[in-house]
Amino acid sequence: MELLVASAIGILTAAGIYLTLRMRTFPVILGISLLTYAVNVFLFASGRLMVGGPPILRDGVAVYSDPLPQALVLTAIVISFGMTAVVVMIGLGAFLGADDDHVDDPKGDDHRAEDAT
Amino acid sequence: MSLFLIVALPFLGALLPGLMYSAGRQACAGVTFTVTLAAFVGLLTNAPAVLAGEVVTARVDWMPILGLNFNLMLDGLGFFFALLILGIGLLIIAYARSYLAREDNMGEFFTYLLLFQGAMVGIVLSDNILILLIFWELTSLSSFLLIGYWKHLPEGRQGARMALTVTGMGGLAMIGGMLILGQIVGSYDLSVILQNRDLIQESPLYLPALILILLGCFTKSAQFPFHFWLPHAMAAPTPVSAYLHSATMVKAGIFLMARMWPVLSGTPEWFVLVTGAGLITMVLGAVIALFKHDLKALLAFSTVSHLGLITMLLGTGTTFGAMAAMFHVLNHAAFKAALFMSAGIVDHETHTRDIRRLGGLRHLMPITFTIVVLAALSMAGIPFLNGFLSKEMMLEEATHTVLFNSPYLVPVLATVGSLFSAAYCFRLIGHTFLGPKRDDYPAHPHDPGPGLWLPPALLMIPVVVIGVAPFLVQDFVFLVAKSVIGGVADLEVKYIKIWHGLVPALYMSIIAVVGGLILMTLFKPLLKGWEAAPRPEAKTIFEAIIAAAVRLARGIIHPTHDGAFSRYAAIMTGFVSLAGYYAWRTGTVDAPTREMQAAGPVEIAGWLMLVAATGGLVFMHRNRLLALILIGIVGLMVSVGFVFFSAPDLAMTQFTVEVVTIILLLLALNFLPKKTPVESSTLRRARDGVIGVAGGLAAFTMAYYFLMRDFVAPSISEFHLANSYKGGGGTNVVNVILVDFRGFDTFGEIIVLGIAALLIYALTETLLNGPVRARLLNRTPDQPLAGDMHPMMMVVLTRVMMPIILMVGFYIFWRGHNEPGGGFIAGLIVSIAVVMQYMASGFSWAAARQRYPYHGVIGAGVLIAGLCGIGSWFFGKPFLTSDFTYVRIPPFQEFELATAAIFDLGVFLAVVGAVMLSLESFSRLARRAHVKDSEYPMDIDPSRDDAPQGDAVKGGV
């Protein structure tokens, strides 16, 4: 099971990195989302894996899974939604403004203009 | 008054001028004056203790492990400087009230002034060198704002930048020096450091520390070769010059040398560096000052020269020198502040500061004339004025100082400096006020109102009184000198006298004054010679250095930062993977301590689905809609994984977030191209694939070794499990952690979420108000639209489901404390219910029925959560302490009421607001001009009488 989770994290990371290295905004955003999954699962798994022990206190149950990473990851999931939304909005704004959804600055557009001031 | 309050008052008060700005200039100046006066009076309440020789302290441990404690102390030296800073500050504020023109923003000016004043007071009262460094940097920053206050003047901006660069660099050097000093002693508390003279001076790090600290002091106090920034800072308004360059900013370096005197002075290195720099600065400043035509430039160089004098005295390392230095600080502050203010008056009245265009003002401006004569003669060292006394002491000290084995070097140079000093003072009086009255002044000069002349006139009281009756201040000066000296030696002088008999210093004084008069008669030919002589222009050199630094930075930055973001990401990923590999190879990786848990067929099936979806995403991401579906599968499998591994809360959150994320991405995809074209070469894709696989392998290896081993140290989770019910009153430990144990984190997180949503809203607004707006409105959709945009079935279904979903949300919210659920999840569920209405009936229909703006919902959420936290203050508990009780309202079961539920309500509202505001912003972009907003919930409605179908057809196409 540990092997499955670890390899899932690895595969999500690999796919996430590959997509973040693409040249258009949309795949980059998808790549960041995949990386987010990988990081969240990794953080969650730092409490170690346990089946059938949700951290809901019950009489007579002594073993629970680790609640702390779960709480941290819960907020991380919500925040990553906010961050995804911001990145999408920035990408969308750039595309609508310039009709170009490339991630890289156009060639030759090095910062000469701003230095002239 | 507590020392904390004295330091805090100017900072707190800095908020007021800006607020009072609309109440008028009088209120603005008045409130600044009051704040300063309060701090001044507060300082005076400590006077009896200080004068009795005590050291008043105030201590708060801030980060004791780092040695960073907010400790303040007030001894004679600190009291003396604080008195100057606040006392002269009061006069400056009164003067600035009359000086600033109507179009100057007074609120801004006084805010900067108070910030600066607070930083200065902080420096002189600090008992911890780390705190001192913070205040030191604050003075650099706030003086930058003050010097550049007239933003429209290029000289002002350049001067401010130069001052910031020079003093900022010095500040950096000083941080290094102070840290070394702290390391040597093992404490960052000044009072401890000052006790360790031998330890410090015997340390091999003494010399580097000394040089670094002196760099800080010399840059701040404009000592050679860093003297050039001060004259350029004269582009500031005159009150700023008068304040910064008489009593405060430039004296900060002097203060620090005096403060560190007990531990740093007395070594040959200190003597050569400090006395040498001081001597050169004194002579150079005086010579340049004589030939300056701008009144303020003349005064600026004279300030440089006098600072050199004080530095030289501190450098000699004798107790007499230290005492004389402190006495001269007092005298210089008095006459120089008055002179700057008078120069401002002349400028204000004649509209010029050029000495060549002035002269003969004594009849036109008798009051100003009197002030300038007294102050300038004092500066020249004429008996019965205070400057004479300390200058005599300096000359006296010079006769005993042997530099570079020559007993004559220092006395001769000191005399030359004094001679030129006397000369420029005579020139200041003679060429500005004496001589025949002219008829070509740029304006018609006369004495200004008392608002301008009274502050400098008040300063003439100490100038004359100290000059005539030095015994009045002698005890105070000795007290200050003793606290400079510390316990190193005894102060030998017993009296400050005007007449010492026929000693060498008197002859030197006479030579200086007579020589000064002779120089004045020879001024014209001398000036010609001076202007013909080649002189290095410090500003040109400085600008050349800056330009070279910029070129260097550009040479490094431009090739590496050329806007190829994917390359940056590739390099970063590769580097992190390599670093991880290095750590893994060189670190110790112990054998696994946990048993691998067996995986059944269902788990493997889930894993396969996740892997298949991820792989599909990599290979089919160019079809963007398909990619969205695939990433939905990935998210779903992650949620299922959370359920399986005992994290129901996470699963619910991930699942609901997945829904809103997909909706959001669909909304965005509406505007973006639907396909990603193939642009990168095969090689590039292979390279990215290698990087991706390397990163994936690194993540896999780390996760695997991590999962197979137990915790190195016991986890704090046990505490949460044990106390969740007892302390937080809830059995869902995850929720109790969120709303109770780590409520502060959650509070921060909902604020971040709210900010993100507001950012999206702001970006949308920018787009809709810019050139993009027209394009959006006239856009032709690139995909065929459904003929029935708002189908009846969907509308009816979402309406029916709305109350049910809200009920579910309500239930999830309330059970959250004890069962999986809570504010985050409930918020997401309710958002989905609302989003469904938007999807079914369109943006405009839904928006028209929206009663509360989503910004308000976010704000209410944050506010409720914050107030819930503040509520615990009223019970004497720290922020966000929770309490709970059990109530029973028939016919319901007994249920629990916790204050944490109020906090969770805040979380709920913030999440709803943030999610809805983001989605709503995206939908707003989709409105088009030629498509009329429908006022009906659905296009085809059999119960409606009018002819809706035609509209629908028109609207849909």
Side-chain angles (χ1 to χ4, degrees), chain B residues 283-429:
Chain B
V283 177
L284 196 71
V287 174
I288 300 176
L290 178 62
F291 299 107
K292 284 287 164 188
H293 302 305
D294 180 356
L295 273 181
K296 275 172 80 177
L298 188 154
L299 290 175
F301 277 103
S302 95
T303 303
V304 170
S305 164
H306 279 268
L307 291 168
L309 187 161
I310 298 167
T311 306
M312 184 208 98
L313 285 172
L314 285 170
T316 58
T318 65
T319 56
F320 182 80
M323 190 274 288
M326 287 305 108
F327 192 31
H328 197 67
V329 167
L330 173 66
N331 297 334
H332 177 251
F335 63 67
K336 190 50 66 69
L339 281 173
F340 268 118
M341 289 195 253
S342 308
I345 294 174
V346 171
D347 186 19
H348 201 261
E349 295 303 320
T350 62
H351 292 190
T352 182
R353 296 195 310 247
D354 192 333
I355 296 178
R356 288 166 298 185
R357 302 184 64 185
L358 296 168
L361 289 176
R362 73 178 181 283
H363 299 297
L364 296 166
M365 305 172 73
I367 301 174
T368 318
F369 172 61
T370 317
I371 295 168
V372 171
V373 166
L374 282 174
L377 289 182
S378 171
M379 180 155 79
I382 303 298
F384 301 111
L385 293 167
N386 63 355
F388 168 75
L389 298 165
S390 41
K391 190 163 265 187
E392 276 286 279
M393 289 181 184
M394 182 275 287
L395 295 170
E396 170 74 23
E397 179 72 5
T399 56
H400 302 300
T401 306
V402 181
L403 185 63
F404 300 129
N405 292 327
S406 158
Y408 297 108
L409 183 65
V410 179
V412 167
L413 282 177
T415 314
V416 171
S418 303
L419 191 149
F420 275 91
S421 175
Y424 66 67
C425 292
F426 296 144
R427 177 165 183 238
L428 177 66
I429 300 170

Side-chain angles (χ1 to χ4, degrees), chain B residues 557-598:
Chain B
I557 299 293
H558 274 174
T560 48
H561 277 227
D562 58 352
F565 288 91
S566 10
R567 203 190 63 210
Y568 308 165
I571 293 173
M572 208 266 295
T573 316
F575 183 77
V576 170
S577 304
L578 278 179
Y581 178 74
Y582 175 77
W584 187 60
R585 289 293 304 166
T586 53
T588 45
V589 183
D590 289 336
T593 57
R594 290 172 75 101
E595 287 285 309
M596 172 111 67
Q597 300 174 51

Side-chain angles (χ1 to χ4, degrees), chain B residues 57-76:
Chain B
T57 56
R59 316 174 65 84
V60 169
D61 281 353
W62 182 8
M63 288 185 242
I65 295 174
L66 297 179
L68 179 55
N69 299 322
F70 209 105
N71 293 346
L72 300 177
M73 74 166 174
L74 186 69
D75 62 349

Side-chain angles (χ1 to χ4, degrees), chain A residues 15-111:
Chain A
I17 291 173
Y18 179 77
L19 287 179
T20 37
L21 298 180
R22 299 302 87 214
M23 299 170 93
R24 302 284 185 139
T25 50
F26 198 77
V28 169
I29 290 164
L30 292 179
I32 294 173
S33 298
L34 284 184
L35 282 177
T36 310
Y37 289 132
V39 170
N40 283 345
V41 172
F42 176 75
L43 287 181
F44 162 72
S46 70
R48 307 301 187 269
L49 301 176
M50 178 188 272
V51 181
I56 314 289
L57 302 178
R58 294 273 181 271
D59 288 335
V61 180
V63 184
Y64 299 99
S65 61
D66 197 337
L68 196 60
Q70 295 192 18
L72 299 181
V73 170
L74 198 151
T75 49
I77 294 172
V78 181
I79 295 269
S80 55
F81 162 73
M83 287 303 118
T84 309
V86 171
V87 173
V88 170
M89 188 68 225
I90 292 171
L92 187 58
F95 175 71
L96 291 175
D99 223 350
D100 177 17
D101 64 344
H102 278 96
V103 174
D104 292 350
D105 287 346
K107 280 260 152 42
D109 182 27
D110 56 2
H111 316 275

